[in-house]
Amino acid sequence: MTSWLMQAIRKIEADFNRSSDTHLIPLVLPAAPGIQLYFKDESTHPTGSLKHRLARSLFLYALSNGWIKQGTPVIEASSGSTAVSEAYFARLLGLPFIAVMPASTSCEKIRAIEFYGGRCHLVDDPATIYDESQRLARELNGHYMDQFTYAERATDWRGNNNIADTIFRQMALEPQPEPSWIVCGAGTGGTSATFGRYVRYQQKQTQVCVVDPENSAFYASYVSGDAHCSCEGGSGVEGIGRPRVEPSFIPTVIDHMIRVPNVASYAAIHFLEEVLGRKCGGSTGTNFYGVCLLMADMLQRGEQGSIVTMICDDGSRYLNSYYSADWLAAGGHDIQPWLLSYRRFFHDGVWQPPQ
Ligand SMILES: *Cc1c(COP(=O)(O)O)cnc(C)c1O
């Protein structure tokens, strides 16, 4: 083991040691006193999203495998958030970093990557980020991190303070500490794989529900069992929904999937701003739509229980998209009727999506 490698692993562990856990924020729905809802706030990591955990795990995995050495350029295919977090860790280790991303990635994320000293390599077709990353890695004699393949195995799914482990520990003193549902989206699929494996391994009754936006291959693949589903272009919700079924997406540990209209995700974050007093990223809105559907079902059956979902990243990254009236209008997204549906559900427990 070289001293550089020892130092590198120690730097990442020390970064972890300096960090505190993220909050689990309750949201009381007046219409559902028997159901508790919690948001695991992953926006408070140093690099602003749940991808901070993934980037840490991917670097430790690659270092421990001997794939990254002193001076190795690190290349990643990303829709943005992972690249921001990886740029942070690459800088920590003094490694060059290149993010290969769709040209549609928000300027805020591009700025964040460059802030951490990373370089952005933009491509027009989101489906080409994988090949382009591989090509760059070959040319530069670098390492293609490949989050979409390694997310599910780089994370220690049995525990070791992974996201599932921390949620269950934070739930310990709640009225219903074992959630009926955990709701999350899938980008790599790594988070849902960690949740699904963890609840099985720990013998919890908790079910895992994955929400998927329009224009993503995951939902169709889950329903049909066909792992080769694909679609054109990118999803309308940054961070989740993929044009192909990623290798880290593990359908066998997912109990239920819900397809979410983009406009419902956008409206949800505007509604959440009213009740949480803060802006969240689009995928948090997708999560909340799934929560509403599951909660409406529970209410109808007279069930009590708790539901946990995530604030995946902060809304400040999307002021020029989901939070811009012009952007919404240009895309033909009328969030007003959806806002009314969310408000009504929140106060009266009646879930009625717009016609
Ligand atoms: C990556 C990401 C997700 C999905 O997490 P995975 O573990 O990759 O499936 C959700 N929201 C945001 C903002 C993300 O960046």
Side-chain angles (χ1 to χ4, degrees), residues 238-282:
E238 276 188 51
I240 58 170
R242 301 293 312 160
R244 65 171 203 191
V245 183
E246 302 297 348
S248 280
F249 178 74
I250 313 289
T252 46
V253 300
I254 297 167
D255 298 290
H256 184 52
M257 274 193 80
I258 296 174
R259 167 136 264 202
V260 184
N262 288 343
V263 63
S265 298
Y266 307 149
I269 57 174
H270 287 261
F271 173 73
L272 284 175
E273 190 176 7
E274 296 175 5
V275 292
L276 288 175
R278 51 175 294 186
K279 291 182 166 70
C280 306

Side-chain angles (χ1 to χ4, degrees), residues 49-51 54 81-82 147 185-192 238-240 283 312-313 318:
S49 82
L50 77 170
K51 289 305 186 330
L54 176 62
S81 295
T82 304
Q147 57 166 331
T188 62
T191 304
S192 52
E238 276 188 51
I240 58 170
S283 68
C312 303
D313 64 353
Y318 309 100

Side-chain angles (χ1 to χ4, degrees), residues 20 122 139 154 169 176 183 308:
S20 58
L122 302 178
E139 271 178 19
R169 278 190 282 108
Q176 303 180 90
V183 180
V308 177

